[in-house]
Amino acid sequence: MENRRSFIKKSGLFLSAALLPFPGCIASTSQRKLGVALVGLGYYSTDLLAPALQETDYCELRGIVTGSPEKIPVWQRKYGIKDSNVYNYENMDSIASNPDIDVIYIVLPTGLHAEYAIKAANAGKHVWCEKPMARTADECRQIIEACNKNRVKLSIGYRMQHETNTKKIMTWAKTNPYGPIKSVVSEAGYNGSTINPWKLKKEMGGGAIYDMGVYPINAARYSTGMEPVAVTATQSTNRPEIFTEVDETTSFQLEFPGGIMVDGKTSFGESLNNLEVTAENGWYYLRPMQSYTGVQGKTSDGLNLPPMRKNQQAVQMDDDALAIINDTEVMVPGSDGLKDIHIVEKINESAANNSKRILI
């Protein structure tokens, strides 16, 4: 249980305005790196984001927000984080006066995303929010509204859309090199013998459909370049003693314009990592389609899609940093995260109503 007592004072440091990024500027190696503060120091921050921030060109780890005081000295020793850039959940609002921090990255359980993304926006900092964006579509809208109101950029952490082979799939959705798309199979899941406790709680945004399901949902949308019009879904569990509140496995079929059908599946009890696109004149796939490394694929005419060598999270954060530095549109805006959560809600509605076909 995290101890949320106040344990650090806000910074009084001042940074010359001449070093700050400004709208329309061109990024270069001399550009001051953006300062990133990670909110929540669990596995994803500790093992993936913090190391990736050591490989970025346009942003760097400068701050942390945590409710676990014992983690602070470990992070400070490892990453040289100043006392003035350490916050807890109660005093996070005071980050507003800290010029060291340009971006706040929300890496908390899904059910807490809206609360802390809105706090970050109200502090006047740009917001990076891990996927899934929030527990409900209404919460997604609240985040978007807060960012718009405070004139800060909002990016959702869909790292796959920054990955080389995934970007090629997204391009092919527009160019149709193998003819019109006919059908798609989109699956993501893992066989979890142990599940993080919060992922079993409905109020925290737990369940396979949230945690892993947004991968095949998002892939269904970017691989077709379209938005679904209807869905049917089923949910089940082989471990009812564990999955008392949320789904262990969800299977769904999304209907897209032009008769395109997408068969999707996500699970905490089955290893799934596959995106297959069948077109009129051929096919292509990514296997794995959402792993942290090694995303690769093939096409029906023998083209190999080799893995990207760069760190996915580093590329993602640099892309998002450049959007801030150059004042351009982010690659994955809040509207994209909102669309997925709206679909998640419709999937849950269909499953709760005996696989009823639900319009989206």
Side-chain angles (χ1 to χ4, degrees):
M1 187 73 178
E2 291 194 330
N3 181 352
R4 295 188 174 180
R5 61 183 177 82
S6 178
F7 52 80
I8 198 70
K9 294 181 180 180
K10 63 183 179 181
S11 171
L13 296 177
F14 176 78
L15 182 65
S16 172
L19 293 178
L20 292 174
F22 57 90
C25 70
I26 303 300
S28 69
T29 54
S30 62
Q31 169 69 47
R32 182 186 81 94
K33 289 187 175 184
L34 300 182
V36 177
L38 296 176
V39 180
L41 305 183
Y43 163 75
Y44 197 67
S45 285
T46 301
D47 288 16
L48 294 159
L49 292 179
L53 280 162
Q54 311 314 302
E55 301 182 34
T56 49
D57 294 321
Y58 302 105
C59 54
E60 63 186 5
L61 176 60
R62 292 220 194 102
I64 53 175
V65 180
T66 180
S68 302
E70 70 278 5
K71 294 182 180 180
I72 296 171
V74 177
W75 279 70
Q76 288 189 302
R77 285 194 300 268
K78 190 168 185 178
Y79 298 111
I81 297 171
K82 299 186 295 186
D83 288 347
S84 55
N85 292 350
V86 177
Y87 298 84
N88 61 36
Y89 298 113
E90 277 68 46
N91 68 9
M92 176 180 157
D93 293 340
S94 63
I95 206 168
S97 63
N98 188 341
D100 273 357
I101 307 302
D102 303 289
V103 179
I104 297 178
Y105 198 153
I106 308 302
V107 203
L108 293 165
T110 305
L112 299 175
H113 282 187
E115 177 183 354
Y116 288 94
I118 291 169
K119 281 188 177 183
N122 288 339
K125 305 299 181 179
H126 300 289
V127 180
W128 296 348
C129 182
E130 252 315 300
K131 65 85 200 158
M133 183 176 174
R135 194 171 69 87
T136 67
D138 185 58
E139 287 181 346
C140 293
R141 294 186 189 97
Q142 291 174 34
I143 295 172
I144 293 170
E145 182 180 354
C147 290
N148 288 341
K149 178 182 177 182
N150 290 282
R151 298 183 179 180
V152 297
K153 291 189 183 295
L154 169 63
S155 297
I156 309 304
Y158 282 102
R159 60 188 163 82
M160 302 321 306
Q161 292 197 36
H162 302 262
E163 189 274 330
T164 303
N165 289 325
T166 304
K167 290 171 73 174
K168 189 181 294 292
I169 297 295
M170 295 171 72
T171 298
W172 287 350
K174 300 175 182 178
T175 61
N176 289 331
Y178 297 90
I181 294 171
K182 297 298 183 182
S183 63
V184 176
V185 176
S186 188
E187 305 169 314
Y190 60 90
N191 191 352
S193 56
T194 58
I195 306 292
N196 192 313
W198 74 260
K199 294 183 180 181
L200 300 174
K201 300 295 182 182
K202 184 177 181 179
E203 286 190 4
M204 297 303 287
I209 189 60
Y210 280 98
D211 186 53
M212 298 299 292
V214 290
Y215 285 115
I217 292 170
N218 201 248
R221 294 175 50 237
Y222 64 62
S223 65
T224 61
M226 300 178 183
E227 299 300 332
V229 295
V231 64
T232 56
T234 61
Q235 293 179 327
S236 62
T237 178
N238 290 322
R239 294 175 285 178
E241 72 282 2
I242 297 175
F243 293 90
T244 59
E245 298 183 20
V246 298
D247 63 303
E248 179 179 14
T249 299
T250 296
S251 298
F252 56 90
Q253 187 172 68
L254 293 170
E255 302 173 30
F256 284 80
I260 299 173
M261 304 298 289
V262 176
D263 289 316
K265 190 175 184 180
T266 186
S267 182
F268 280 156
E270 186 177 351
S271 295
L272 304 165
N273 210 331
N274 179 45
L275 175 63
E276 303 174 14
V277 179
T278 300
E280 191 171 280
N281 302 319
W283 50 261
Y284 43 94
Y285 67 77
L286 293 180
R287 298 190 195 117
M289 60 84 82
Q290 56 81 33
S291 296
Y292 295 138
T293 60
V295 173
Q296 58 191 308
K298 290 185 178 181
T299 70
S300 56
D301 55 356
L303 178 64
N304 289 318
L305 306 176
M308 180 175 75
R309 293 184 179 181
K310 294 183 179 180
N311 181 294
Q312 291 176 10
Q313 286 84 358
V315 171
Q316 169 200 326
M317 290 187 284
D318 265 345
D319 285 344
D320 289 340
L322 282 172
I324 295 169
I325 292 168
N326 293 328
D327 193 25
T328 56
E329 294 296 321
V330 300
M331 291 178 63
V332 190
S335 57
D336 206 2
L338 166 61
K339 288 173 182 176
D340 282 349
I341 298 305
H342 177 66
I343 294 169
V344 166
E345 291 181 329
K346 296 300 182 180
I347 287 173
N348 286 337
E349 182 181 348
S350 173
N353 287 276
N354 299 312
S355 302
K356 180 181 178 181
R357 181 176 180 269
I358 303 293
L359 297 179
I360 296 177

